[in-house]
Amino acid sequence: MVRWRSGTVTALRREWAGAVELDVDLADGGTVRALAYPALVGRPEPGDRVLLNAGALLMGLGTGGYALVVALPDRLPPDPPQALDSRDAGHLVKARYTPLQPILLGVDEEASPHREVMAAADDLAGLPVVTADLHSALPAVLAGIHADAPAARVAYLLTDGGALPAWFSRTLARLREHLVGTVSVGQSFGGDLEASTLHSGLLAARHVLRADLAIVAQGPGNLGTGTRWGFSGVAVGEAVNAVATLGGRPVGSLRISEVDPRPRHRGVSHHSLTAYGRVALAPAELVVPDGLAPALAGEVDAALAPLAARHTLVRVPTDGLDAALRAAPAPLSTMGRGLDADHAYFLAAAAAGRHAARLLP
């Protein structure tokens, strides 16, 4: 449940698209680092009293290393400029029935300028779509795409397995100029376009953003219980099904590591094997990077062999990908490990991007 705290803002720290980091002196003593989304709660200033949800911070959760600003009770933000007593500004409610539910304009709503296009859209026309289970794969996949197709228009679809606000991701803030747009789908919000489902989000990427390729991945802060099914990233299998249903071309990025301290994630992570082997009912092209260490390559091949009955295993050369990864516009980090510490993970994601780029006409 919520662990409430109140305090006073003492300083503004970093700031990126949609988010402000703060120092807050707590009323009961101590100082915490907090995060505010100005679009939801207004922009805090030093001296403001803030109400905080401190649960994730107090529990020491990795990505949730912030107390989150719930309200500025003494200085509420003004109402949005659009009239909210009609559907003219949208009626798509996300983070539904939580205290901070935003009401947004869906890309396919009647009031949307894209309504006519979306009403007619029913097919992805072969759009290559890379599916990945962790947000940390996003900059690596993008680096692999742009290594071979630097002018490719790439859309990102933010699913709701991790952070719901797109604004939470500093990675995404760094990649904005390298993407044609972000579509937040399901309960996630804060993208350039809002979609109620992954299906409508994919169609928006193809027909509204005019993307050449798309990447589907959850936001940062995935949920996992250490069991086969208790991981939010298994939804990557449902993403494969959605892409295939709409006539796209699903390209599976595999979670591969030789250094993860948890045995279930070494070689091919059991989450990739579950998502692609059990959840994905439609065939995908699963990308296996060349250049892995021999022992790791053998482990990967053995783990993927049962998946070959449904999916196509594609070996992709990795020459030049290390340089592309090192030049990525956003820092590379997964589970606290950078490129050199977990090279195989990022190489596999970049190889998936390269393969998707090579599917372009």
Side-chain angles (χ1 to χ4, degrees):
M1 300 302 290
V2 175
R3 298 172 72 174
W4 288 91
R5 297 292 186 272
S6 66
T8 302
V9 177
T10 57
L12 305 184
R13 295 166 59 95
R14 293 178 295 180
E15 189 168 346
W16 58 92
V20 180
E21 191 180 80
L22 322 164
D23 285 333
V24 177
D25 282 352
L26 297 178
D28 55 0
T31 299
V32 297
R33 188 175 58 159
L35 194 70
Y37 303 121
L40 293 184
V41 301
R43 181 180 174 82
E45 299 291 347
D48 281 338
R49 185 166 68 96
V50 290
L51 301 181
L52 304 173
N53 179 340
L57 174 65
L58 295 173
M59 290 181 66
L61 300 181
T63 307
Y66 292 104
L68 296 173
V69 175
V70 179
L72 281 63
D74 303 323
R75 193 167 59 82
L76 297 178
D79 286 345
Q82 307 97 332
L84 294 180
D85 54 357
S86 74
R87 296 189 176 193
D88 292 345
H91 77 295
L92 199 66
V93 181
K94 296 202 175 185
R96 286 187 282 278
Y97 301 101
T98 63
L100 291 179
Q101 61 180 16
I103 300 176
L104 306 158
L105 179 62
V107 66
D108 53 357
E109 286 194 72
E110 293 87 345
S112 168
H114 311 297
R115 167 71 173 190
E116 186 175 349
V117 170
M118 289 297 296
D122 195 45
D123 192 274
L124 294 177
L127 180 76
V129 180
V130 181
T131 59
D133 68 344
L134 292 178
H135 190 70
S136 56
L138 173 61
V141 173
L142 188 62
I145 292 172
H146 283 157
D148 289 357
R153 295 169 58 85
V154 184
Y156 168 51
L157 288 98
L158 170 70
T159 59
D160 55 15
L164 298 185
W167 313 311
F168 185 82
S169 173
R170 293 195 299 273
T171 294
L172 187 55
R174 295 282 292 270
L175 295 177
R176 288 173 66 90
E177 295 180 0
H178 304 271
L179 295 166
V180 71
T182 294
V183 187
S184 35
V185 306
Q187 294 290 315
S188 69
F189 56 91
D192 300 294
L193 298 173
E194 302 288 348
S196 54
T197 67
L198 178 57
H199 297 75
S200 60
L202 287 165
L203 291 168
R206 172 68 180 86
H207 296 282
V208 175
L209 296 178
R210 299 289 181 182
D212 301 316
L213 306 99
I215 303 169
V216 176
Q218 63 180 333
N222 55 279
L223 176 65
T225 63
T227 63
R228 178 181 292 114
W229 296 104
F231 172 63
S232 53
V234 298
V236 76
E238 299 290 5
V240 168
N241 296 335
V243 174
T245 295
L246 293 172
R249 193 161 178 179
V251 174
S253 175
L254 296 167
R255 183 174 171 184
I256 294 174
S257 177
E258 60 181 335
V259 298
D260 197 297
R262 300 160 295 180
R264 64 185 183 273
H265 292 305
R266 286 200 293 271
V268 181
S269 167
H270 75 122
H271 289 317
S272 284
L273 297 176
T274 299
Y276 294 119
R278 303 284 298 278
V279 182
L281 303 180
E285 296 171 57
L286 304 184
V287 175
V288 183
D290 284 339
L292 299 176
L296 177 61
E299 193 174 351
V300 168
D301 288 345
L304 293 176
L307 277 63
R310 177 177 304 154
H311 304 295
T312 301
L313 305 182
V314 182
R315 295 196 173 275
V316 173
T318 56
D319 51 295
L321 289 184
D322 179 76
L325 288 166
R326 295 186 188 281
L332 302 177
S333 178
T334 186
M335 305 296 170
R337 300 185 296 271
L339 175 59
D340 290 323
D342 204 346
H343 197 266
Y345 170 81
F346 296 106
L347 192 67
R354 164 169 279 176
H355 178 64
R358 292 182 174 182
L359 297 178
L360 294 174

